[in-house]
Amino acid sequence: MDHRPGQSAARDDRFRLGLVGAGRMGRTHLDAIKTLHGVSVEAVAEPREEARAALVHDGVRTFESLEEMLGHCELDGLLVAAPTGVHLETVRRAMAAGLPVLCEKPCGLTVAEATECAKVTEEAGGTLQVAYWRRFVPRLQELRARIARGELGDILAVDCQQWDASPPPVEFRAGSGGILVDMGVHEFDQVRWLTGQEFGPVKVAVSRVGASAGDPDCAQIVAELDGGSTAAVSLGRWHPAGDSCKVEVFGTRATESIWFLEPVTGDAVFLEALRRQVEDFARSVSSGEGSGATVTDAVEALKVAEMAGEAVSEAS
Ligand SMILES: NC(=O)c1ccc[n+]([C@@H]2O[C@H](COP(=O)([O-])OP(=O)(O)OC[C@H]3O[C@@H](n4cnc5c(N)ncnc54)[C@H](O)[C@@H]3O)[C@@H](O)[C@H]2O)c1
């Protein structure tokens, strides 16, 4: 069976995805993609019987493993929403099968795993995009363009807040890399993408309220950026009104504040960004031109998370 994208796409205009993992995020991707005409989820690999059974009305073929799915389906790419701890082995298998991958963040638990993802992708001459969905939020794209045009002047500070409605399930949390990896990478990538600057050393304060197995429920990170700006990132797992994400950029000519994920309207913003992201991935596979995060971006975001983790260890 040949899984290379060009051949099958010629017979059918839709870009046919195999989804790996149908938990919280995999289901959200399914919801987003089902309204698209140009991209479809053809099959799902999911080891949990209960999760497969929940897909019965979605009209997708389900398989117990990636291996089984690859053996039975012609696909144009994989969307990986399996736990972070299996990102590397999934990317490796996909590259061996010649399949492009859109991998959920962080693309491995550590810098070493993400670097290995980059290596296997390069050796295979494959495509690996990392799902940093903020890059597909129109208001943030506009903010980035304004910063690049100098409309905010010199950037003094980028302040980001990500507060989840409530902590994730304990089992998820145990394999997530903790708050700095699981949540922090979104903000680290967003700061890099908005400003074009890299993080210098970071300082971190973590709350002692509500920690689970050593993983804090709140972390506050501050950093100098290599272009002379500063970043402040606020992460928290308790925002009872609903998930919330904000960014505020302070420049010498203007300040811009965007509450881009609000508790009431956030789902629609999130789903729309996921749709734009997967369409961009399909486009990048066919044309080689995509605007999503690369695996190099994923490595950089994880480097900041690891620096932050070391700062916490040194302080305690
Ligand atoms: N972009 C975002 O905003 C966002 C939000 C949530 C989660 N995520 C990412 O998505 C990934 C999944 O998170 P989640 O919250 O959906 O977790 P989850 O635990 O709810 O779901 C993961 C699913 O993958 C399945 N699975 C386990 N091993 C597998 C394998 N080898 N092959 C296929 N499926 C496998 C599990 O049975 C489970 O159903 C994580 O990497 C997480 O960081 C991203």
Side-chain angles (χ1 to χ4, degrees):
M1 189 177 300
D2 194 332
H3 295 293
R4 274 172 302 180
Q7 297 199 348
S8 41
R11 290 194 301 270
D12 184 341
D13 279 349
R14 285 173 314 155
F15 187 90
R16 298 167 306 179
L17 281 170
L19 175 65
V20 185
R24 292 179 314 159
M25 197 57 206
R27 292 294 320 218
T28 308
H29 279 295
L30 268 172
D31 283 348
I33 291 169
K34 70 185 175 198
T35 62
L36 292 178
H37 297 298
V39 182
S40 62
V41 174
E42 293 291 305
V44 177
E46 165 56 59
R48 282 189 305 121
E49 205 278 325
E50 190 190 339
R52 290 198 305 280
L55 300 175
V56 76
H57 300 299
D58 286 84
V60 288
R61 300 171 72 190
T62 57
F63 299 93
E64 276 182 51
S65 69
L66 171 59
E67 213 48 54
E68 214 190 316
M69 182 168 78
L70 293 180
H72 288 86
C73 302
E74 272 193 63
L75 300 168
D76 301 315
L78 291 186
L79 172 49
V80 178
T84 301
V86 300
H87 287 179
L88 171 56
E89 68 188 55
T90 310
V91 167
R92 191 178 270 135
R93 184 63 190 94
M95 291 303 147
L99 277 176
V101 173
L102 174 58
C103 183
E104 260 308 332
K105 46 58 66 175
C107 198
L109 279 167
T110 59
V111 171
E113 287 186 6
T115 303
E116 185 62 19
C117 285
K119 186 165 166 255
V120 296
T121 302
E122 194 183 344
E123 284 169 359
T127 298
L128 172 56
Q129 183 174 322
V130 180
Y132 281 111
W133 61 270
R134 312 284 181 80
R135 293 176 179 234
F136 297 95
V137 175
R139 293 171 76 192
L140 296 179
Q141 291 174 332
E142 203 178 309
L143 172 61
R144 181 173 185 252
R146 288 196 66 203
I147 293 171
R149 288 195 296 267
E151 291 176 22
L152 274 61
D154 294 331
I155 303 304
L156 298 158
V158 182
D159 288 4
C160 307
Q161 292 182 17
Q162 183 192 160
W163 282 75
D164 284 354
S166 55
V170 177
E171 322 78 68
F172 170 86
R173 201 163 168 172
S176 71
I179 193 166
L180 297 169
V181 170
D182 182 41
M183 296 182 72
V185 290
H186 278 295
E187 310 310 318
F188 307 145
D189 182 68
Q190 183 178 282
V191 169
R192 294 181 63 251
W193 173 72
L194 284 174
T195 64
Q197 297 182 44
E198 298 295 345
F199 278 73
V202 300
K203 291 183 181 161
V204 185
V206 296
S207 67
R208 279 173 288 128
V209 176
S212 164
D215 183 29
D217 272 359
C218 168
Q220 312 273 12
I221 301 124
V222 288
E224 287 179 24
L225 304 177
D226 68 356
S229 308
T230 61
V233 171
S234 171
L235 306 171
R237 299 201 189 269
W238 293 97
H239 196 264
D243 291 347
S244 172
C245 300
K246 295 178 183 173
V247 62
E248 190 154 23
V249 182
F250 299 87
T252 50
R253 293 177 66 185
T255 297
E256 186 151 334
S257 179
I258 304 181
W259 192 359
F260 59 90
L261 196 92
E262 294 186 47
V264 176
T265 53
D267 280 356
V269 173
F270 189 35
L271 290 174
E272 183 56 22
L274 296 183
R275 280 190 278 272
R276 286 166 177 261
Q277 173 176 259
V278 79
E279 285 179 329
D280 178 84
F281 170 64
R283 240 187 338 267
S284 84
V285 171
S286 56
S287 72
E289 285 176 22
S291 55
T294 64
V295 64
T296 306
D297 293 315
V299 169
E300 292 303 322
L302 279 163
K303 278 185 189 168
V304 184
E306 289 189 1
M307 271 198 296
E310 283 159 19
V312 174
S313 305
E314 280 161 19
S316 58

Tab-separated table of all heavy atoms in Angstrom, residues 20-26 45-48 51 81-84 86-87 89 104-106 131 133 172 182 186 270, ligand 1:
chain	number	residue	atom	x	y	z
A	20	VAL	N	-4.792	9.990	15.153
A	20	VAL	CA	-4.161	9.080	16.128
A	20	VAL	C	-4.495	9.598	17.523
A	20	VAL	O	-3.959	10.625	17.960
A	20	VAL	CB	-2.630	9.030	15.918
A	20	VAL	CG1	-2.004	7.987	16.845
A	20	VAL	CG2	-2.294	8.722	14.465
A	21	GLY	N	-5.405	8.921	18.198
A	21	GLY	CA	-5.832	9.342	19.539
A	21	GLY	C	-7.148	10.107	19.475
A	21	GLY	O	-7.231	11.160	18.838
A	22	ALA	N	-8.162	9.554	20.128
A	22	ALA	CA	-9.489	10.208	20.129
A	22	ALA	C	-9.929	10.479	21.559
A	22	ALA	O	-11.011	10.093	21.994
A	22	ALA	CB	-10.519	9.349	19.403
A	23	GLY	N	-9.040	11.153	22.300
A	23	GLY	CA	-9.412	11.612	23.639
A	23	GLY	C	-9.970	13.019	23.533
A	23	GLY	O	-10.606	13.381	22.538
A	24	ARG	N	-9.688	13.846	24.530
A	24	ARG	CA	-10.248	15.212	24.545
A	24	ARG	C	-9.872	15.991	23.288
A	24	ARG	O	-10.723	16.563	22.608
A	24	ARG	CB	-9.733	15.973	25.774
A	24	ARG	CG	-10.240	15.454	27.097
A	24	ARG	CD	-9.649	16.251	28.244
A	24	ARG	NE	-8.199	16.441	28.090
A	24	ARG	CZ	-7.487	17.376	28.679
A	24	ARG	NH1	-8.073	18.256	29.450
A	24	ARG	NH2	-6.177	17.458	28.512
A	25	MET	N	-8.603	16.022	22.955
A	25	MET	CA	-8.168	16.865	21.833
A	25	MET	C	-8.509	16.226	20.491
A	25	MET	O	-8.895	16.929	19.546
A	25	MET	CB	-6.666	17.126	21.953
A	25	MET	CG	-6.200	18.276	21.119
A	25	MET	SD	-7.091	19.798	21.529
A	25	MET	CE	-6.931	20.672	19.983
A	26	GLY	N	-8.387	14.902	20.412
A	26	GLY	CA	-8.739	14.220	19.158
A	26	GLY	C	-10.201	14.465	18.813
A	26	GLY	O	-10.551	14.763	17.661
A	45	ALA	N	-7.148	5.862	14.930
A	45	ALA	CA	-6.457	4.819	15.694
A	45	ALA	C	-6.571	5.188	17.167
A	45	ALA	O	-6.105	6.263	17.571
A	45	ALA	CB	-4.995	4.738	15.279
A	46	GLU	N	-7.193	4.329	17.932
A	46	GLU	CA	-7.460	4.648	19.348
A	46	GLU	C	-7.539	3.336	20.117
A	46	GLU	O	-8.417	2.507	19.846
A	46	GLU	CB	-8.788	5.441	19.438
A	46	GLU	CG	-9.403	5.563	20.809
A	46	GLU	CD	-8.490	6.174	21.878
A	46	GLU	OE1	-8.048	7.315	21.707
A	46	GLU	OE2	-8.231	5.481	22.900
A	47	PRO	N	-6.637	3.132	21.091
A	47	PRO	CA	-6.619	1.845	21.803
A	47	PRO	C	-7.801	1.615	22.739
A	47	PRO	O	-8.150	0.462	23.009
A	47	PRO	CB	-5.303	1.891	22.593
A	47	PRO	CG	-4.915	3.326	22.657
A	47	PRO	CD	-5.507	3.997	21.476
A	48	ARG	N	-8.441	2.677	23.234
A	48	ARG	CA	-9.523	2.495	24.212
A	48	ARG	C	-10.826	2.171	23.495
A	48	ARG	O	-11.314	2.938	22.671
A	48	ARG	CB	-9.712	3.754	25.063
A	48	ARG	CG	-8.690	3.910	26.167
A	48	ARG	CD	-9.038	5.035	27.112
A	48	ARG	NE	-9.238	6.286	26.435
A	48	ARG	CZ	-10.363	6.999	26.463
A	48	ARG	NH1	-11.398	6.578	27.150
A	48	ARG	NH2	-10.461	8.150	25.822
A	51	ALA	N	-13.579	4.781	23.810
A	51	ALA	CA	-13.383	5.972	22.959
A	51	ALA	C	-13.727	5.649	21.507
A	51	ALA	O	-14.289	6.487	20.791
A	51	ALA	CB	-11.939	6.465	23.079
A	81	ALA	N	-3.012	13.178	17.963
A	81	ALA	CA	-3.561	13.737	19.209
A	81	ALA	C	-3.488	12.673	20.308
A	81	ALA	O	-4.340	12.614	21.194
A	81	ALA	CB	-4.997	14.215	18.991
A	82	ALA	N	-2.486	11.837	20.202
A	82	ALA	CA	-2.214	10.820	21.230
A	82	ALA	C	-1.438	11.511	22.358
A	82	ALA	O	-0.949	12.633	22.191
A	82	ALA	CB	-1.396	9.696	20.624
A	83	PRO	N	-1.309	10.868	23.518
A	83	PRO	CA	-0.576	11.492	24.624
A	83	PRO	C	0.835	11.912	24.203
A	83	PRO	O	1.468	11.270	23.360
A	83	PRO	CB	-0.536	10.387	25.684
A	83	PRO	CG	-1.716	9.529	25.373
A	83	PRO	CD	-1.864	9.548	23.879
A	84	THR	N	1.317	12.981	24.812
A	84	THR	CA	2.608	13.557	24.453
A	84	THR	C	3.734	12.518	24.496
A	84	THR	O	4.638	12.545	23.669
A	84	THR	CB	2.898	14.739	25.405
A	84	THR	OG1	1.833	15.680	25.262
A	84	THR	CG2	4.206	15.416	25.098
A	86	VAL	N	3.773	9.596	23.510
A	86	VAL	CA	3.882	8.740	22.319
A	86	VAL	C	4.044	9.547	21.028
A	86	VAL	O	3.988	8.992	19.939
A	86	VAL	CB	2.728	7.708	22.201
A	86	VAL	CG1	2.693	6.783	23.391
A	86	VAL	CG2	1.381	8.356	21.988
A	87	HIS	N	4.249	10.848	21.139
A	87	HIS	CA	4.440	11.654	19.924
A	87	HIS	C	5.638	11.158	19.103
A	87	HIS	O	5.535	10.978	17.888
A	87	HIS	CB	4.642	13.135	20.279
A	87	HIS	CG	3.392	13.831	20.740
A	87	HIS	ND1	3.371	15.151	21.114
A	87	HIS	CD2	2.111	13.398	20.875
A	87	HIS	CE1	2.139	15.506	21.458
A	87	HIS	NE2	1.360	14.451	21.341
A	89	GLU	N	7.285	8.217	19.005
A	89	GLU	CA	7.167	6.924	18.312
A	89	GLU	C	6.151	7.016	17.168
A	89	GLU	O	6.297	6.357	16.142
A	89	GLU	CB	6.791	5.796	19.301
A	89	GLU	CG	5.404	5.910	19.881
A	89	GLU	CD	5.109	4.892	20.999
A	89	GLU	OE1	5.883	4.857	21.978
A	89	GLU	OE2	4.114	4.165	20.877
A	104	GLU	N	0.070	17.270	17.498
A	104	GLU	CA	-0.293	18.162	18.598
A	104	GLU	C	0.960	18.637	19.327
A	104	GLU	O	1.987	17.975	19.312
A	104	GLU	CB	-1.234	17.441	19.584
A	104	GLU	CG	-2.697	17.794	19.404
A	104	GLU	CD	-2.940	19.314	19.399
A	104	GLU	OE1	-2.163	20.054	20.023
A	104	GLU	OE2	-3.886	19.762	18.763
A	105	LYS	N	0.845	19.813	19.952
A	105	LYS	CA	1.945	20.272	20.785
A	105	LYS	C	2.057	19.337	21.962
A	105	LYS	O	1.062	18.687	22.287
A	105	LYS	CB	1.748	21.720	21.250
A	105	LYS	CG	0.399	22.136	21.798
A	105	LYS	CD	-0.212	21.453	22.967
A	105	LYS	CE	0.451	21.580	24.297
A	105	LYS	NZ	-0.377	20.929	25.388
A	106	PRO	N	3.185	19.141	22.620
A	106	PRO	CA	4.444	19.845	22.356
A	106	PRO	C	5.347	19.129	21.353
A	106	PRO	O	6.429	19.597	21.107
A	106	PRO	CB	5.115	19.865	23.732
A	106	PRO	CG	4.219	19.138	24.683
A	106	PRO	CD	3.178	18.424	23.901
A	131	ALA	N	1.131	21.558	16.085
A	131	ALA	CA	-0.181	22.210	16.170
A	131	ALA	C	-0.232	23.321	17.234
A	131	ALA	O	-0.902	23.185	18.259
A	131	ALA	CB	-1.257	21.151	16.430
A	133	TRP	N	-2.012	26.241	17.673
A	133	TRP	CA	-3.203	26.786	17.015
A	133	TRP	C	-3.300	28.303	17.085
A	133	TRP	O	-3.984	28.929	16.279
A	133	TRP	CB	-4.472	26.163	17.604
A	133	TRP	CG	-4.684	26.402	19.076
A	133	TRP	CD1	-4.251	25.617	20.089
A	133	TRP	CD2	-5.390	27.491	19.691
A	133	TRP	NE1	-4.626	26.155	21.297
A	133	TRP	CE2	-5.338	27.301	21.092
A	133	TRP	CE3	-6.069	28.614	19.208
A	133	TRP	CZ2	-5.925	28.185	21.996
A	133	TRP	CZ3	-6.655	29.491	20.107
A	133	TRP	CH2	-6.584	29.270	21.481
A	172	PHE	N	-4.019	12.161	32.764
A	172	PHE	CA	-3.457	12.992	31.695
A	172	PHE	C	-2.277	13.797	32.244
A	172	PHE	O	-1.204	13.861	31.665
A	172	PHE	CB	-4.514	13.943	31.122
A	172	PHE	CG	-3.927	14.978	30.201
A	172	PHE	CD1	-3.732	14.702	28.856
A	172	PHE	CD2	-3.523	16.222	30.690
A	172	PHE	CE1	-3.146	15.643	28.009
A	172	PHE	CE2	-2.939	17.167	29.854
A	172	PHE	CZ	-2.757	16.872	28.510
A	182	ASP	N	3.095	21.367	29.423
A	182	ASP	CA	1.757	21.167	28.855
A	182	ASP	C	1.085	22.499	28.493
A	182	ASP	O	0.539	22.645	27.395
A	182	ASP	CB	0.904	20.387	29.862
A	182	ASP	CG	-0.479	20.111	29.324
A	182	ASP	OD1	-0.579	19.781	28.133
A	182	ASP	OD2	-1.456	20.247	30.084
A	186	HIS	N	2.546	26.717	24.780
A	186	HIS	CA	1.674	27.557	23.936
A	186	HIS	C	2.129	29.014	23.996
A	186	HIS	O	2.212	29.700	22.979
A	186	HIS	CB	0.232	27.527	24.464
A	186	HIS	CG	-0.561	26.339	24.023
A	186	HIS	ND1	-0.891	26.119	22.713
A	186	HIS	CD2	-1.134	25.335	24.731
A	186	HIS	CE1	-1.626	25.021	22.626
A	186	HIS	NE2	-1.779	24.514	23.833
A	270	PHE	N	-11.599	28.626	19.043
A	270	PHE	CA	-10.695	27.475	19.058
A	270	PHE	C	-10.960	26.572	17.844
A	270	PHE	O	-10.048	26.214	17.088
A	270	PHE	CB	-10.913	26.722	20.379
A	270	PHE	CG	-9.922	25.628	20.661
A	270	PHE	CD1	-8.594	25.733	20.290
A	270	PHE	CD2	-10.312	24.488	21.355
A	270	PHE	CE1	-7.678	24.730	20.573
A	270	PHE	CE2	-9.410	23.476	21.654
A	270	PHE	CZ	-8.098	23.596	21.250
B	1	LIG	N1	-3.518	22.338	21.257
B	1	LIG	C1	-4.164	22.322	22.411
B	1	LIG	O1	-4.699	23.330	22.848
B	1	LIG	C2	-4.254	21.029	23.168
B	1	LIG	C3	-5.233	20.855	24.138
B	1	LIG	C4	-5.300	19.638	24.797
B	1	LIG	C5	-4.374	18.640	24.504
B	1	LIG	N2	-3.426	18.855	23.555
B	1	LIG	C6	-2.439	17.809	23.240
B	1	LIG	O2	-3.114	16.718	22.642
B	1	LIG	C7	-2.536	15.476	23.056
B	1	LIG	C8	-3.646	14.611	23.652
B	1	LIG	O3	-4.199	15.276	24.761
B	1	LIG	P1	-5.675	14.912	25.261
B	1	LIG	O4	-6.046	15.965	26.224
B	1	LIG	O5	-6.581	14.634	24.124
B	1	LIG	O6	-5.376	13.555	26.039
B	1	LIG	P2	-6.404	12.380	26.322
B	1	LIG	O7	-5.757	11.526	27.343
B	1	LIG	O8	-7.759	12.934	26.572
B	1	LIG	O9	-6.486	11.614	24.937
B	1	LIG	C9	-5.424	10.859	24.387
B	1	LIG	C10	-6.025	9.670	23.665
B	1	LIG	O10	-4.992	8.984	22.970
B	1	LIG	C11	-5.194	7.582	23.150
B	1	LIG	N3	-3.930	6.877	22.960
B	1	LIG	C12	-3.029	6.482	23.910
B	1	LIG	N4	-1.977	5.880	23.313
B	1	LIG	C13	-2.219	5.891	21.988
B	1	LIG	C14	-1.518	5.401	20.853
B	1	LIG	N5	-0.328	4.793	20.979
B	1	LIG	N6	-2.081	5.566	19.630
B	1	LIG	C15	-3.276	6.158	19.498
B	1	LIG	N7	-3.983	6.659	20.541
B	1	LIG	C16	-3.450	6.529	21.756
B	1	LIG	C17	-5.773	7.443	24.536
B	1	LIG	O11	-6.484	6.235	24.702
B	1	LIG	C18	-6.679	8.666	24.612
B	1	LIG	O12	-7.996	8.391	24.174
B	1	LIG	C19	-1.429	15.839	24.051
B	1	LIG	O13	-0.203	15.807	23.375
B	1	LIG	C20	-1.760	17.267	24.486
B	1	LIG	O14	-0.614	18.024	24.787
B	1	LIG	C21	-3.360	20.013	22.877
